Amino acid sequence: MSSTPTDSGADGAGTMSQTEYAANLKRATLSSSVGSALEYFDFAMYGLMTALVFDRLFFSSAHPAMATVAAFGIYGVGFLARPFGGLFFGTIGDRIGRRWVLVATILLMGGASTLIGVLPTYEQVGVLAPILLVVLRLAQGFGAGAEQAGATVLMAEYAPVRRRGFFSALPFIGIQAGTLLASVVFFLLTMLPDEAFMSWGWRLPFLASAGLILIALFIRARLRETPSFIQLEKQEQVAERPIREIFTRGRAGVVVGIGLRMAENGGSYMFQSIALAFVTSAAIGMDRGMVTWGVTLGSLIGIFSVPLTGRISDRVGRVPVYRFGAVFMLIFSVPAWYLLSLGNEVVAIAVIAVGLGVAVNSMLGPQCAMLPELFGNRHRYLGVAMAREISAVLAGGLAGVLGAALLAWTGGNWMVLALYMATLAAITTAATFLVPETRGRDLLRTEDALRISQTECDTATDLTFTAEDDGDGGSAEGTHAAARATASTRTVSTNPSPARR
């Protein structure tokens, strides 16, 4: 039986059979999708509850505006924990492998989310209620800090090179599915009598997280380690100190990765939470159950737009597609928030749906492959985790806290929020001019994309695309040829000296 590459996405030669590779590719896709669905179901649900419920349940009702700010403050606490989780689990992922880290993160993240469903309220235990919520939010964020990075790296390292953008984007349908499920469930819960919803109805979606945890654990326990990491182990190139490498050799990639994520991550949370808080505030007064349909429709659009833009990035490159999404958000920011301020529910639903489904997801599609392609094999997990999670603090976490504060301080001035979103989009647009085209990059390379010349990137891309066929699982002979062709561009020998191991 012919063999497929150890890393169909990295041009490596290996021992995995065609059938085994195809089976593991499917498991990797399903495993990453379920994890993404759980993470974003929890986070979308938490965002919805923060905007509309938690300020009333976990804080004193004496000062409603300050209660909203405090609720979003705890929402932001989860983002503060994510870089530490990414640093901790990302280091482990680069030292012992990707698979078992993903098992640990799903347990921690999902377990914390489930326990939120049994928390006492402020009325029951006073100030202890928000303290417990902070603790669980920290645990949730610590686990999530490496979950999405792990899913991103896992799929990029398993995917066929020629279709890496498309395959890497498939698990992120789980993001859309999780967000879609959260908004649908929340809408159904709002149909309960207000007393029932506020007493026990809000707890149900968090308790339901336990079911997704069991499904994800079952799938991930059967998943084989990624081909790229297996190749690192065979060549004795596994990094002993990934943290030192990422803050020396990989620092530029992390900084650019943060810039790329500002509009995608910040815009996502602004449309999912701040926009809902804005349009349901006393000044505008829209129905909370109705406007959540904007998030639902945006997620539904994303189920198609994320893999579509990932696929387009396989054809025209990651950078042009990413830049389109950033520029679209930049242009869309002012009219979007002006339209939200008009108080028309149909218009608000459309604005939120377009913001999420088109602006945000046009960046998320190519990002799924682009971030792993920015980093070398020895510190890829940690590099992706740091870029994702530091940006999550700067964009996602601050979007909630700063957005709620701006709403309170300005009396609901839409222009301030529009300028904030436009600033995030401008940062990401600028970042797209700092990154080289990474489409088709050999993932066995140990140096970062920003450390080699654009000519080398283009050469590796051309060689890889010529060698590999269009099949979903890749061609064994074609990928072996690509591995031989790109070997001359690698800077680290397959038999490194002890000093470089």
Side-chain angles (χ1 to χ4, degrees), residues 1-6 8 11-14 16 18 463-464 466-469 473-485:
M1 182 180 293
S2 65
S3 64
T4 60
T6 300
S8 189
D11 308 328
M16 199 184 299
Q18 183 83 17
L463 290 169
T464 301
T466 300
E468 191 180 352
D469 70 354
S475 164
E477 295 181 2
T479 311
H480 289 325
R484 292 192 295 271

Side-chain angles (χ1 to χ4, degrees), residues 131-143:
I131 292 175
L132 292 174
L133 185 61
V134 167
V135 171
L136 292 180
R137 182 65 175 158
L138 285 170
Q140 188 187 50
F142 194 79

Side-chain angles (χ1 to χ4, degrees), residues 94-411:
D94 280 324
R95 294 192 64 182
I96 68 172
R98 327 304 195 198
R99 182 169 68 114
W100 292 113
V101 172
L102 289 174
V103 172
T105 57
I106 201 75
L107 280 172
L108 180 58
M109 181 181 66
S113 298
T114 302
L115 289 175
I116 289 176
V118 299
L119 283 180
T121 64
Y122 186 89
E123 184 179 334
Q124 294 170 324
V125 296
V127 73
L128 181 61
I131 292 175
L132 292 174
L133 185 61
V134 167
V135 171
L136 292 180
R137 182 65 175 158
L138 285 170
Q140 188 187 50
F142 194 79
E147 169 64 31
Q148 203 60 59
T152 301
V153 171
L154 184 77
M155 280 312 303
E157 292 184 344
Y158 258 113
V161 181
R162 192 179 182 90
R163 305 187 67 192
R164 186 185 292 149
F166 173 73
F167 272 89
S168 296
L170 287 180
F172 285 74
I173 293 177
I175 292 177
Q176 314 308 319
T179 304
L180 177 64
L181 180 61
S183 58
V184 170
V185 169
F186 187 83
F187 175 76
L188 294 175
L189 289 174
T190 60
M191 298 177 68
L192 291 171
D194 192 65
E195 183 179 352
F197 175 66
M198 297 301 291
S199 62
W200 56 266
W202 69 271
R203 300 179 184 273
L204 297 180
F206 294 103
L207 295 175
S209 299
L212 286 175
I213 295 173
L214 295 177
I215 295 172
L217 285 176
F218 174 76
I219 297 170
R220 290 182 177 184
R222 302 174 62 205
L223 183 67
R224 183 173 173 176
E225 184 54 75
T226 69
S228 285
F229 190 80
I230 292 174
Q231 193 75 355
L232 269 183
E233 291 183 316
K234 286 182 178 180
Q235 297 177 353
E236 298 183 357
Q237 292 180 348
V238 176
E240 294 183 1
R241 298 178 180 85
I243 295 178
R244 184 176 67 181
E245 286 197 12
I246 204 62
F247 285 107
T248 54
R249 298 171 58 191
R251 184 171 58 242
V254 172
V255 172
V256 172
I258 291 170
L260 290 171
R261 288 261 297 161
M262 294 299 283
E264 177 268 321
N265 189 255
S268 175
Y269 286 106
M270 286 192 75
F271 280 121
Q272 287 185 56
S273 57
I274 297 301
L276 295 183
F278 175 66
V279 299
T280 58
S281 63
I284 299 178
M286 293 189 197
D287 179 74
R288 66 184 182 185
M290 283 299 297
V291 291
T292 57
W293 280 104
V295 178
T296 303
L297 292 177
S299 300
L300 188 60
I301 295 171
I303 289 176
F304 301 96
S305 62
V306 170
L308 175 62
T309 51
R311 177 63 171 165
I312 293 173
S313 76
D314 284 329
R315 298 293 185 183
V316 304
R318 318 289 186 223
V319 174
V321 181
Y322 211 113
R323 188 174 296 150
F324 164 80
V327 172
F328 182 90
M329 180 175 287
L330 180 61
I331 297 171
F332 187 59
S333 296
V334 172
W337 287 93
Y338 168 72
L339 291 171
L340 289 173
S341 72
L342 297 179
N344 186 300
E345 291 179 349
V346 174
V347 172
I349 290 171
V351 167
I352 294 172
V354 171
L356 288 172
V358 180
V360 170
N361 289 325
S362 292
M363 291 177 278
L364 181 59
Q367 181 193 111
C368 303
M370 191 176 191
L371 284 184
E373 289 169 339
L374 282 177
F375 296 97
N377 200 13
R378 286 165 57 93
H379 54 256
R380 178 171 298 124
Y381 198 139
L382 183 57
V384 172
M386 289 293 92
R388 285 187 59 86
E389 304 315 329
I390 294 175
S391 63
V393 174
L394 298 177
L398 284 180
V401 178
L402 183 57
L406 290 173
L407 283 175
W409 295 337
T410 64

